[in-house]
Amino acid sequence: MGRNRITPTAQMISEIHQKDQYVGLLKPWVASSTVPIDENKEYFCVATWGTMHLLNMPKFARLTSKIGSELHNKETHGQHLVGETRQVCNWGLSDFRAETFTVWHEREYMAKFYKSGAHRNAMTSMKDDVDFRVRRVWVKGGELPRMGDSASTREFVSRIKSGGFPEAVKKV
């Protein structure tokens, strides 16, 4: 006999994303840019959230390692990235979650990166495997986590997830 399984709808996944306040397996904040941070300037922050079946995790990990290399490469995007952190968690076979939190000097740098080689390849390759959601917010330089500091990184991510930063409306 088969089990009755509920396949989550897009609305259900959006509701899970909105309610997700988990901050646990975060990597400490990694600062990327050598450009001094202006404490009063607003920087563009993107928080990506994706859920997938656990069996898709190896492919996801392989693709995201290529993204990480490109992200921090000073010749490509690294000079435009203020910093980043990420986390993964497993809530069951059909709910492996991965999140990234990136802060950019300017919004257009983020757009250029998201359309670039490794990132575009991963998104295209995983489009049927991962349900993605995104939050975009403005963050002042003085509100960024300290490099390598787990506590300030957790506080920063919690604030993003709870709506503690001004929303950056998606450009059309």
Side-chain angles (χ1 to χ4, degrees), residues 28-157:
W29 186 252
V30 176
S32 183
S33 178
T34 57
V35 176
I37 300 302
D38 179 340
E39 292 201 0
N40 297 309
K41 178 185 174 189
E42 286 190 323
Y43 294 90
F44 187 68
C45 175
V46 178
T48 65
W49 180 97
T51 180
M52 70 197 88
H53 193 282
L54 187 60
L55 294 176
N56 292 319
M57 193 276 298
K59 178 181 176 183
F60 181 82
R62 186 177 66 257
L63 291 167
T64 56
S65 71
K66 292 176 184 175
I67 292 172
S69 297
E70 192 173 286
L71 181 65
H72 289 281
N73 183 326
K74 300 292 184 202
E75 302 296 316
T76 54
H77 304 285
Q79 73 272 20
H80 303 301
L81 177 70
V82 172
E84 60 99 7
T85 187
R86 38 188 123 163
Q87 78 172 351
V88 295
C89 60
N90 187 18
W91 297 101
L93 282 177
S94 61
D95 191 9
F96 178 83
R97 296 181 196 171
E99 298 179 86
T100 64
F101 304 87
T102 55
V103 177
W104 300 85
H105 282 282
E106 301 293 339
R107 186 180 203 139
E108 55 267 16
Y109 297 142
M110 176 279 311
K112 184 178 177 185
F113 171 71
Y114 275 52
K115 294 174 185 173
S116 71
H119 190 273
R120 186 178 63 208
N121 179 49
M123 292 300 290
T124 302
S125 179
M126 298 291 295
K127 73 180 175 88
D128 295 328
D129 301 323
V130 181
D131 287 300
F132 281 105
R133 300 296 183 270
V134 179
R135 284 187 176 103
R136 298 165 188 87
V137 297
W138 295 107
V139 178
K140 288 195 176 182
E143 299 170 313
L144 293 169
R146 292 176 297 282
M147 172 75 164
D149 183 336
S150 295
S152 68
T153 303
R154 280 192 305 277
E155 182 180 314
F156 178 71
V157 169

